[in-house]
Amino acid sequence: MASIRKSAREARGAVGKMRVPRGLPVVRDREADGTAVLLVEDLKVYYHTAAGPVKAVDGVGFGLAAGERFGLVGESGSGKSTIALALMRLIRPPGQIEDGAVLLGDTNLLDLSEEQMRRMRLAEISLVAQGAMNSLNPVKRIKDQILLGLRDHGVRLSDAEAASHIADLLQRVGLKSGVAKMFPHELSGGMKQRVCIAIAISLQPKVIVADEPTSALDVVVQWQVIDTLKRVQEELGAAVILIGHDMGLMAQAVDRLGVMYAGKLVEVVATRELFGEPLHPYTQLLIASLPSLEGKSDLRGIPGLPPSLLHRPAGCPFHTRCPFVMNQCRVEEPTLIEHRPGHWAACHLYGSEVSA
Amino acid sequence: MSASPTATASAALLEADNITKVFSGGLLHRSQLTALADFSFRVSGETPSITAIVGESGSGKTTLARLLLGLVTPTSGVVRYKGTDLQELDKEAQRAFLRDVQVIFQDPFEVYNPFYKVDHVLDTPIKNFGLANGRRARRALMEESLGAVGLRAEETLGRFPHQLSGGQRQRIMVARALLLRPKLIIADEPVSMVDASMRATILGSLQKLNREFGISVVYITHDLTTAYQISQDIIVLYRGSVAEVGNVETIVQEPQHPYTQLLVGSVPVPNPDHPWQGERALDAPTADLTPRGESFCPFHDRCPHTMPVCVEQHPPMFRTAPDRAVACYLYQESPTMPAAEMTSVITGGAGGDRGQRTGERGQKTEAV
């Protein structure tokens, strides 16, 4: 597998780790050593409509350590899927990346030409899209669909090499090698999703972006897919950005979690701390609204609705629904600040002092 | 063919009697799929209950909803409304059925006509059933219904569907169902396309209709957690047959059927310290047994406890406790129970106090 990766990489030049500027939420433990494989800085993606720009992603920044599993959660319309597409440079009009940087190593993906970006996709950063299982070509055998990506990246393999590479990939995602000869309709939803993971890792990318990879799958199959993704990612040492809306699944799948609300990150922290001591009122209410299997309780939703992204309210985007709203919240927008080591939140309740 | 008054008094509001639905296709109908087999269910209408029907895709849960609504005819067995076969209701009974039994579908986007304001979906049943006369009275009724599901009329009425969120649209569907003061609401995956923060609100309003208006709810879902939270009883379906049925608290806390065990273990708990077991909740299947006939346990190929009998005969229901039954040979020491009696273990099946019924049933079980 290493040689395949090498031949795909020669065309591009290597990608390394980089120092993280202060003021971006990243892991700062010994292992990560303040370096990141992916840095997203002040990303803004707007959809231009007749009524004005819809600010789907409005100034989002975070860093991803090598081998880290980072989750982005939020409700529909919070901008999480737009981030996934922006990272892959797949935003289509009327959407547009307005500002920001997506640094993969020393390369700012937003500066690349379309052809340079095409070479980066799959090889350095790959996407398991929402409903990816429906993206498989119904008239092509699985092996041909896996090889398609390799060929596009200039990997030339003999039939024997290709067969062994495909068998290896399928085995990594827990599928039998016989699947290679099958057509997509012969596979179940979970198997198709695992084929998509196999394709996503076929060139050993540094970063895998998985956008709701398990929505529309049954709970047992969800477990299989996430388990596969975790295992493969650990074996390859790739970093994963998992995007989803299921807090339970996130709690089980990622190391660190960013909570999105109305196009902004409102809280970023290690998963255990997020569920143990959430700081942002939105996160607190979101966690309180989750039903559990451990005893019945009254079901509590979050009153109100997310704001229109066309006409953002002044101040904090959550102030219209927040039970702790203060005058300051209505006028001044809070910034994402590290209130405790590694625990970032955008909320005036915790002041604006930056801790050491 | 309308039922006599005495029969109406004793008959259940809605009753599925041993229904089976087989879909056939292909040349000469040679390819057949049993979507639902030997299913019995009863909503008395006297005790308002919430029953959850839980299953993964392909378990037959949506087929069941369609059968209960009379949209699909069972291959065998009957669905009865107040004692009369749904397919044989006269015009008057049909109208009463349409009023007594309401449905909420999964997709809050597809049920609206985009050209009409949302008022239309509320106004239509009011007019059709003559619930109120005059604009003011109609408006008051709509406002009352919307209020019951936590919506403000001034924020919803007069708008087009695309101006409202999925959660708001789904709550309007609940309000619409409530307008008719039905006795039963069948909700087929009502929250699967709605955000987490709104899910609790919608389920809460269903619960409120049950408590305050005495409406029974059949909650069809793939989500064990919400099923546990809102229902008293649960029916777990697997590939078209009932795996386990009974009190939701005991079934979720101590699942007996290996499939229910797998389902409970697969739920991702929002607590990183709680292990997500998934398939590790069960040992790997050991026995390599293949069924030779048509009748076998549908879970035999994934079950770690498969025995020779599992591939020879579909397991009957074993009543392991007064308030639960399970279709698994691991419990064959418990008395068997005919499929038609399945609903006797659940709250909505019969009227009266649960404790009392449990006592009666205890005796019945002994007699068996």
Side-chain angles (χ1 to χ4, degrees):
Chain A
M1 204 154 168
S3 65
I4 289 169
R5 176 165 174 74
K6 201 176 157 218
S7 62
R9 170 166 285 183
E10 272 160 6
R12 255 181 355 263
V15 169
K17 294 179 182 179
M18 66 203 120
R19 299 294 303 178
V20 176
R22 285 189 66 84
L24 268 186
V26 288
V27 190
R28 294 182 197 280
D29 58 16
R30 231 176 299 126
E31 211 178 316
D33 194 25
T35 59
V37 282
L38 181 81
L39 271 184
V40 177
E41 289 175 13
D42 198 29
L43 183 67
K44 289 183 181 164
V45 186
Y46 297 171
Y47 292 92
H48 295 276
T49 67
V54 173
K55 298 175 178 178
V57 176
D58 199 17
V60 165
F62 59 89
L64 196 65
E68 186 188 10
R69 280 193 300 268
F70 180 63
L72 279 178
V73 279
E75 299 178 66
S76 42
S78 63
K80 55 193 196 303
S81 288
T82 300
I83 290 184
L85 293 176
L87 296 183
M88 302 301 296
R89 284 251 321 256
L90 291 172
I91 298 282
R92 292 278 169 267
Q96 201 181 323
I97 299 175
E98 300 288 322
D99 198 7
V102 177
L103 296 162
L104 187 65
D106 307 321
T107 321
N108 183 354
L109 298 184
L110 304 187
D111 290 340
L112 298 179
S113 71
E114 192 47 48
E115 173 57 22
Q116 286 169 320
M117 187 61 212
R118 188 188 68 75
R119 288 190 196 159
M120 294 299 264
R121 291 190 198 114
L122 197 67
E124 297 292 340
I125 179 166
S126 67
L127 175 72
V128 180
Q130 198 163 9
M133 56 235 193
N134 302 325
S135 66
L136 293 173
N137 186 335
V139 297
K140 274 193 146 68
R141 293 181 197 277
I142 298 302
K143 62 174 179 168
D144 297 326
Q145 308 204 34
I146 298 177
L147 286 177
L148 205 64
L150 298 181
R151 287 210 192 94
D152 269 356
H153 283 269
V155 180
R156 298 277 172 266
L157 295 172
S158 69
D159 286 356
E161 282 170 336
S164 88
H165 183 55
I166 287 166
D168 174 53
L169 283 173
L170 291 175
Q171 185 245 321
R172 276 171 192 267
V173 296
L175 293 174
K176 295 197 174 96
S177 53
V179 169
K181 289 199 190 77
M182 291 187 181
F183 288 99
H185 75 266
E186 296 175 275
L187 307 177
S188 71
M191 290 166 88
K192 280 190 267 188
Q193 196 59 289
R194 281 188 272 180
V195 168
C196 291
I197 295 175
I199 294 175
I201 60 163
S202 60
L203 283 172
Q204 291 192 299
K206 290 236 169 48
V207 178
I208 302 168
V209 182
D211 184 8
E212 304 255 16
T214 62
S215 59
L217 293 176
D218 288 317
V219 63
V220 180
V221 185
Q222 282 190 357
W223 176 84
Q224 291 168 347
V225 169
I226 293 295
D227 192 57
T228 305
L229 191 64
K230 276 165 84 169
R231 200 162 28 77
V232 162
Q233 169 260 342
E234 275 164 18
E235 281 171 19
L236 299 182
V240 166
I241 299 180
L242 182 67
I243 290 167
H245 65 273
D246 184 339
M247 292 290 273
L249 190 136
M250 285 293 177
Q252 300 294 340
V254 298
D255 313 315
R256 208 158 56 100
L257 207 48
V259 180
M260 298 275 306
Y261 186 78
K264 310 232 173 210
L265 269 176
V266 295
E267 186 157 3
V268 182
V269 66
T271 310
R272 189 162 279 111
E273 206 173 327
L274 186 92
F275 285 94
E277 286 178 83
L279 288 180
H280 200 285
Y282 173 63
T283 319
Q284 293 170 354
L285 288 171
L286 197 60
I287 292 171
S289 77
L290 298 172
S292 97
L293 280 180
E294 292 155 355
K296 292 194 180 194
S297 54
D298 276 342
L299 293 165
R300 275 189 302 166
I302 305 179
L305 290 171
S308 156
L309 299 176
L310 204 53
H311 310 285
R312 265 172 194 287
C316 172
F318 191 60
H319 86 253
T320 52
R321 302 167 82 184
C322 183
F324 309 113
V325 63
M326 306 176 290
N327 282 331
Q328 191 189 4
C329 308
R330 297 192 179 93
V331 285
E332 192 188 328
E333 184 165 347
T335 48
L336 194 62
I337 290 171
E338 192 172 15
H339 291 284
R340 293 179 198 156
H343 196 156
W344 302 67
C347 180
H348 289 307
L349 283 177
Y350 308 98
S352 49
E353 290 301 302
V354 181
S355 76
Chain B
M1 184 189 153
S2 68
S4 68
T6 44
T8 314
S10 63
L13 177 72
L14 191 68
E15 182 179 30
D17 191 359
N18 229 346
I19 50 174
T20 295
K21 179 69 195 176
V22 180
F23 290 107
S24 47
L27 192 65
L28 304 171
H29 297 263
R30 262 183 295 197
S31 108
Q32 296 208 319
L33 178 84
T34 306
L36 191 70
D38 301 326
F39 186 87
S40 290
F41 183 64
R42 200 178 131 94
V43 179
S44 71
E46 286 159 40
T47 328
S49 59
I50 303 185
T51 309
I53 294 174
V54 177
E56 55 189 39
S57 37
S59 62
K61 56 189 194 302
T62 295
T63 301
L64 173 61
R66 298 173 66 84
L67 284 162
L68 291 179
L69 291 164
L71 300 173
V72 173
T73 336
T75 311
S76 67
V78 257
V79 182
R80 292 191 200 93
Y81 165 67
K82 293 188 175 168
T84 312
D85 186 340
L86 274 191
Q87 305 302 322
E88 290 166 14
L89 294 178
D90 59 25
K91 216 170 175 189
E92 200 181 322
Q94 178 80 34
R95 218 174 141 72
F97 172 71
L98 287 177
R99 188 169 174 165
D100 277 349
V101 181
Q102 290 296 315
V103 61
I104 296 166
F105 287 112
Q106 175 172 18
D107 193 331
F109 300 88
E110 279 187 358
V111 291
Y112 288 90
N113 184 331
F115 293 107
Y116 287 114
K117 289 178 180 168
V118 295
D119 310 34
H120 186 73
V121 298
L122 297 172
D123 217 21
T124 309
I126 296 182
K127 282 184 184 155
N128 284 351
F129 288 92
L131 302 178
N133 291 314
R135 271 185 68 175
R136 201 172 293 169
R138 289 211 300 270
R139 169 94 188 184
L141 201 61
M142 286 189 218
E143 283 180 8
E144 185 199 326
S145 237
L146 290 170
V149 297
L151 288 173
R152 275 196 295 267
E154 60 271 23
E155 286 175 6
T156 40
L157 294 181
R159 300 209 179 184
F160 285 99
H162 72 266
Q163 293 171 306
L164 300 173
S165 75
Q168 282 176 312
R169 278 185 259 194
Q170 198 61 307
R171 276 193 283 170
I172 293 174
M173 287 333 280
V174 180
R176 185 200 59 84
L178 175 65
L179 269 180
L180 295 160
R181 292 285 185 275
K183 298 203 172 71
L184 171 67
I185 291 178
I186 296 175
D188 186 6
E189 297 271 18
V191 294
S192 68
M193 295 181 69
V194 174
D195 280 317
S197 71
M198 196 51 70
R199 229 167 252 187
T201 314
I202 291 171
L203 293 173
S205 53
L206 278 178
Q207 227 169 7
K208 190 176 163 193
L209 300 194
N210 174 254
R211 284 184 195 146
E212 292 177 14
F213 299 92
I215 300 171
S216 292
V217 179
V218 173
Y219 175 50
I220 298 175
T221 183
H222 68 281
D223 180 5
L224 193 63
T225 323
T226 52
Y228 169 67
Q229 286 294 334
I230 77 161
S231 64
Q232 291 114 41
D233 299 294
I234 189 170
I235 300 173
V236 181
L237 289 179
Y238 183 73
R239 290 191 200 163
S241 15
V242 176
E244 193 159 1
V245 54
N247 179 282
V248 75
E249 192 73 41
T250 55
I251 287 185
V252 167
Q253 302 308 336
E254 294 157 40
Q256 288 180 331
H257 198 287
Y259 173 66
T260 320
Q261 291 168 3
L262 175 63
L263 214 51
V264 172
S266 299
V267 172
V269 179
N271 173 359
D273 294 317
H274 188 290
W276 192 18
Q277 291 176 296
E279 283 176 328
R280 284 191 290 261
L282 291 185
D283 298 325
T286 44
D288 191 17
L289 297 161
T290 344
R292 268 161 288 169
E294 294 275 293
S295 181
F296 50 86
C297 171
F299 196 60
H300 77 272
D301 53 344
R302 293 168 78 185
C303 184
H305 312 290
T306 313
M307 301 174 282
V309 63
C310 305
V311 293
E312 279 161 19
Q313 183 75 42
H314 190 291
M317 299 295 292
F318 295 101
R319 190 170 202 157
T320 51
D323 60 353
R324 69 188 297 183
V326 57
C328 176
Y329 285 114
L330 289 175
Y331 306 92
Q332 53 187 316
E333 277 161 26
S334 302
T336 57
M337 185 181 79
E341 275 179 34
M342 200 184 89
T343 47
S344 65
V345 298
I346 64 178
T347 321
D353 173 76
R354 190 186 178 101
Q356 203 185 321
R357 275 193 309 112
T358 311
E360 284 168 22
R361 266 194 268 105
Q363 289 161 11
K364 240 190 251 167
T365 317
E366 279 166 28
V368 173

